[in-house]
Each structure stands twice: as C-alpha cells, then as structure tokens.
Amino acid sequence: MAQLTHFEKLMEALEKRLQYHFKDRTGLVRALTHRSAVPGDKVAHESYQRHEFLGDRVLALVVAEMLFKANDKADEGDLARRLNQLVRRETCAEIALELDLGDVIRLGTGERQSGGRRKEAILGDVMEAVIAAIYLDGGFEVAKDFVERNWAPHMQRLPGQLRDAKTLLQEWAQGRGHAVPTYETLERTGPDHAPVFTVAVLIDGAQVGTGTGKSKREAEQAAAAAALAERADG
C-alpha cells in the first residue's frame, strides 16, 4: 500500500473533524484555497469565492430552519436578529477555529506571512466555502447535518429568550399569581390603507403598558414589551 502524502494526511484528518468523508475532494480543496494562492486569471474557478457564495445560502437556510423550529412563538424580528448573529462572519470564523480549518487553508506567501490562517475574514469565508463543498459532494441533508451539529451549541448560547413579548408577559403575570394579561384597543388613526393602532395591556384590570403598531398584533406586542420593560426597571 502506497504511503499517504502529507497533504492526503491533512485531508484525512480534516474529514474526521468535519465528520464527513468526501467522495471527491476537488471541491474541498477549492473551498480551502484563498485567492492569493492561485494565478489572477484562475481566481474565480480555483479559489473558494464561488463556494463561499453558495455556502452562505445553504448556511442561512439551515440556520433559519433551526431557529424556526426552536420556538414557534418567536416573532420575525427576534428570529431575524438571531439569524444574523449566527451566520455573521465572526461566528463562522469561531467555528472554523474550532475545526482547525486555519491549519489547512492554502494561502499565497504574502498571506501566510501576514497571519492569514488566523484572519477572521478568511476563516469566515472558508467556513462557508466548506459548507458548500459538503453540500455539492454529499447533498443537502449531509450539509444540513453538518451545520446543525456545529451551529447548535452557538445557538443555545445566544443571550435572551426566543419568545415573543406577549408570551413572556403572560408567563411573568401567571408566575406571580396574576390574571392572564388582556389587551384593549385605545385608538385607531390614519387612513384605511395605513392604519395605526394604539393598544393597552391590562393585568388584573390595571393598565401596565401601551404600544402602537400598523396592526393590532404589532401594537399588542409593543404594549407587552413596554410592560416588561417597566417591570424590569422596577
């Protein structure tokens, strides 16, 4: 049996960390190749740039689904904020470091000498490119499994609770022996095509917060958030 080359050993070790064995490593190698390591006229085809583009979309879809399933009461704004935190370059770079991707990135001499293996921008881009390589080699379910396995711990560490203001206020009230909060529309202004609602939230008959919005639901959420803020300040 022929001995493995140093590069083949690096790829085998990486596959173990990724927990995926590639049928064809061509895509993986490309995902690990920075533009500084290839001639200028071949950057688009031999560097990770195209893979990064695809991996970014795969990552966003999988993380969005993870967040969507995590709690069916979270509103769109909360989900969007958390999605941005989880797919941003900083988080991708953290996970790249956890997987020791920096050790196997192919860099030009200048980037190697300037510490490119630990640069956040490069690590984040390579992480997305590797997701694309897994997707192209193994399919969506394999890529999804990889993202879920590596991003779930980061999702669980996000600050705050993944629940909407109305749910949190109800839990606060019931936890202290109060009645379930009720909502009352105080005012509706503006034209029919762009109304503005003002809503009050009441606990045990007493008004504890007000809010406005383009719909009753939005105004109720704003009122509940105002009530929670008041409780926190108190």
Side-chain angles (χ1 to χ4, degrees), residues 81-207:
R81 285 190 295 274
R82 288 166 180 270
L83 175 65
N84 288 336
Q85 287 178 285
L86 289 167
V87 303
R88 63 181 182 169
R89 175 175 286 168
E90 293 88 345
T91 303
C92 291
E94 285 179 28
I95 296 171
L97 286 171
E98 292 167 6
L99 295 168
D100 292 329
L101 290 187
D103 295 344
V104 291
I105 297 175
R106 301 172 73 200
L107 299 168
T109 303
E111 279 294 349
R112 283 201 307 272
Q113 293 176 344
S114 63
R117 297 189 188 283
R118 290 296 180 266
K119 286 183 179 178
E120 188 175 82
I122 293 177
L123 287 168
D125 291 348
V126 168
M127 186 70 263
E128 291 176 341
V130 167
I131 292 171
I134 294 172
Y135 166 76
L136 291 169
D137 189 78
F140 179 74
E141 290 302 320
V142 175
K144 179 181 176 182
D145 177 71
F146 172 80
V147 172
E148 289 178 341
R149 187 170 63 250
N150 288 281
W151 264 258
H154 290 261
M155 186 175 79
Q156 294 164 4
R157 291 199 293 268
L158 289 178
Q161 302 183 62
L162 190 56
R163 283 173 287 179
D164 60 85
K166 288 181 67 175
T167 300
L168 290 172
L169 183 61
Q170 180 173 325
E171 291 180 355
W172 180 92
Q174 292 183 310
R176 289 160 178 76
H178 298 297
V180 174
T182 58
Y183 295 84
E184 177 183 328
T185 301
L186 299 179
E187 188 178 29
R188 182 188 186 282
T189 60
D192 290 340
H193 68 278
V196 177
F197 294 89
T198 301
V199 169
V201 56
L202 300 89
I203 296 179
D204 297 334
Q207 182 175 306

